[in-house]
Amino acid sequence: MAAIASRGNPLLKSLPLFLTWRSLRYRTICSGRLGFASSSLPSISEQLPVPGTKVLETFKEEFEIGSRVITLETGKVARFANGAVVMAMDETRVLSTVASSKGEGAHDFLPLTVDYQEKQFAQGVIPTTFMRREGAPKERELLCGRLIDRPIRPLFPAGFYHEVQVMASVLSSDGKQDPDVMAANATSAALMLSDIPWGGPIGVIRIGRISGQFIVNPSMDELGLSDLNLVYACTKEKTLMMDVQAREISEKDLEAALRLAHPEAVRYLEPQLRLAARAGKSKKEYKLSMVSDATMEKVRNLAVAPIESIFTDHTYGKFERGEALDLITQNVKRALQEECDEESLKVLPKVVDTVRKEVVRRRIIAEGLRVDGRQLDEVRPLYCESGNLPILHGSSLFSRGDTQVLCTVTLGSRGDAQRLASLVGPSTKRFMLHYSFPPFSINEVGKRVGLNRREVGHGTLAEKALLSVLPPEEKLPFTVRINSEVMASDGSTSMATVCGGSMALMDAGIPLRGHVAGVSVGLVSEVDPSTNTIKDYRIVTDILGLEDHLGDMDFKIAGTRNGITAVQLDIKPAGIPLDIICECLEPALRGRLQILDRMEQEINAPRPQHDRNSPRIAMLKFSNDSLRRLIGPMGSLKRKIEEETGARISVSDETLTIVAKNQSVMDKVQEKVDFIVGREIEIGGIYKGVVTSVKEYGAFVEFNGGQQGLLHISELSHEPFLVIHITDMVSVGQQISLMCIGRDVRGNIKLSLKATLPRRDSDTNDIVEEPIPVTKQASSVWESIGNVPDSEEEQNSDLEKLPIAKDENSEGSLGTYKTPSFLIRSAAECDEEEKSAGFNPSSESTSEPQSISGSDKKLKSSLSDQKQQKKLKASLSDKKKLKKLKASPLKNSASASSVNSQTDTEVPKTCINEKKLKLGAKLNAKVNQIRKRGLVLDLGGGIQGMYRFEGDNSERDFEVGDELHVVCSSFSTKGIPVMSLVEDE
């Protein structure tokens, strides 16, 4: 085996024993056969060295808070870290480590970095990213990092400028507990175990409330039912940090929750102290960057007087004051350079800032005077404007003093919701508020890169404040995004974002439960150096940026008139008593109500959107099968609609959401959707359709997602006499808008084109004796000779379709239809009609009266000129609609006249009306149309009748315009008079 190994591969010379043939009891390889080795070979355990056993010394503390068993453990993992602790609650485990730099601090501030990370392996999931690994920190990770940073930063000693890094990682999560509070407590324990100087420990607790009962360390399911989510951090005696999201909780209830949270949070301290006593390191002596008393006194003497003069002059603005203070610093610097005091020059900016702080704080405590001359509880002047960008869904501009914020609202579909990949909480977020702090807002030059922790924190605070007043998802099934752009900053831009966002939501038409406003409260205190307790303090409402920088606290409180919705507390000293924190709630309420009054003056109700050219959003309900037709193969049809219209379409379970730039785009998209998918047919509804076939009696139209309807020839126009052929109006492939007017007895859909067209004058179908109503003239819509039906039954059916006006007040009157094809006119109307058409009756036509029982002779008219007749028809066609005039009252017999400007034939001035037209009545009639089996006769007075060919009579014996002497022999089933020729005597 050794020879084979040496010839084959040099690496096989040093094979371990368990990979050799002998270990498998094979002796050698000979002639392709394996021989077995004897069982007397030494065993593997006898030849291999046995490694020693490493014992990990671990330390564990177990305790119970709020019915939850909590464990702190160190020594098993991350042993090289300066401090490392694993905290466990149920099946959720969080590891927190701390480390510090070894060299001297090269900064004039504390470079503390807190990184919180949630990796998907903690819940047994592979990331869905392209690289299948976690990328940049998510918003939740940044927020949890801030939650850890805010309470631990004030407890580092003054002058400690060494770099410190905290890394918190979730090892496992069962989804029942939020790991953020566990990470904060684990970080406190890790700092206690390290050699880094720190004034802890701290306790962080979460409090919820369900049905009025407070819950300590609630689970995620309980938080979903809670109207309060309070995260509270403290030392044994003082408050360090507070973060609240609530549903309009009162100040009294919030104070009760704080009073409960403090003793519960203190219960975390004793286990940390015990663990540090057992496994902690002794604190290392770090060099602190302190300013000597001599340097402080020298700079104070040079700068205090000019600084006081600037702060007592209230005419200074933010930038004017800053330039004046910088000038003072330059003057002090020149004085120190003349003295060659290098030590003082190194710390000059920090010392001058300390002097500024002393001056401002002393004036506020001793005199009650603020930098800008306001009272301690006075709110800066307000300016509110809503709808300043009308083309958007919603917009507002809010200014408080020099702080100015522009807020916009954008609505989207449910598919636009943000997808979250956190270990706990919902998987999507439908309400987002994005806060942006550009450098120009403070007149600086900067670079915009990635997510900023400060921007994420401020935006989340405003988002929490507004979330509680939004309507439920059933009433607002949209995704809402607010963009807050800081235009100018001089303190509390996050609270200005709350005010501007509330007005923008109202401007977008969202029915909020009420306006939300926010105000920031500050604290200026005087501390006894010997006891480190507060001797005196002042609470300041609506703080400036300078007061925030030089003060002790930034207490942001947002809410409605009914209660608080969000709170965030950040402090600079090593804790503030809880009594002072609770005392700040009252002045914050007074300031908030003042701001709400001004906001409600600008807009106090959701603004309607129908009168604005703003983006539109619509949600339509369809079956899933219909939505599949709309999407098309591989989504091709949906993408085509989006490309053609510019709208965005999203599909969920039986819901179609359309987001369009304006109402015209929305109408276009809905037309396309209705054409593809269709909607429930409603009588009176207007639909877009395409003509699929044309028949002699009408056209078939496909509309509403493939449904078929009939557009009858009588429903094409309000003036049927203009429609000789249906192809004059519609053609195959033409797209038209139609109204559904009903269904026939077989359930077929009847459509109308004329119902969608405007009428110039009102029509009437009823004829009364006095006065005669104003009506329209229209000819019957019959087929031409080339399109007549073959059978006599079909022809009679077509003839009987002619509607006849009806006098409802007379007996035996003729039948009527809703939309008549002819109307009765008076002589005055005819004359007026001729004048409006541009004819001169005296020169172009003559008429003589003739009684109904006139001569028995068969009359025929002679045409004067064929060209003149064509000219008349063209003129009438151009008019398209004749004006109707009031008729004179009828007495014993109605009189009417018919237009006859094309012939010299005598026309009677007195025409028969429907009352006089009875069986046996004789009158003169004019041939209106010639059909294959009969004639359409104009009986005068707007009445039309029909004459059927008998015997040898045919269409060749008559011409259009011939006058015949006829007698009414019968009426059809539709009430149309059937006429017979009167024989010559």
Side-chain angles (χ1 to χ4, degrees), residues 557-573:
I557 305 174
T560 65
R561 294 186 179 274
N562 301 324
I564 295 172
T565 58
V567 172
Q568 179 176 295
L569 171 65
D570 295 320
I571 65 172
K572 296 181 179 67

Side-chain angles (χ1 to χ4, degrees), residues 11-55:
L11 297 176
L12 297 178
K13 295 179 181 181
S14 58
L15 286 175
L17 179 62
F18 69 91
L19 294 178
T20 62
W21 292 109
R22 290 185 181 276
S23 66
L24 303 176
R25 296 185 63 193
Y26 291 122
R27 183 176 61 209
T28 182
I29 299 177
C30 184
S31 303
R33 294 176 297 175
L34 294 176
F36 287 92
S38 63
S39 59
S40 60
L41 294 174
S43 63
I44 300 175
S45 61
E46 295 176 358
Q47 298 181 10
L48 294 178
V50 178
T53 302
K54 182 176 180 63
V55 178

Side-chain angles (χ1 to χ4, degrees), residues 539-588:
I539 297 174
V540 184
T541 303
D542 186 21
I543 58 176
L544 295 171
L546 182 63
E547 294 171 336
D548 182 14
H549 173 66
L550 302 178
D552 296 331
M553 177 181 73
D554 185 9
F555 193 14
K556 302 181 179 73
I557 305 174
T560 65
R561 294 186 179 274
N562 301 324
I564 295 172
T565 58
V567 172
Q568 179 176 295
L569 171 65
D570 295 320
I571 65 172
K572 296 181 179 67
I576 295 176
L578 181 58
D579 293 337
I580 297 179
I581 300 296
C582 296
E583 186 181 346
C584 296
L585 296 177
E586 183 62 28

Side-chain angles (χ1 to χ4, degrees), residues 54-65:
K54 182 176 180 63
V55 178
L56 298 178
E57 187 179 10
T58 61
F59 301 91
K60 183 180 294 186
E61 289 291 334
E62 187 173 296
F63 55 101
E64 183 177 347
I65 296 179

Side-chain angles (χ1 to χ4, degrees), residues 511-529:
L512 302 181
R513 290 208 297 267
H515 267 311
V516 184
V519 66
S520 184
V521 177
L523 177 70
V524 177
S525 61
E526 184 178 354
V527 180
D528 186 354

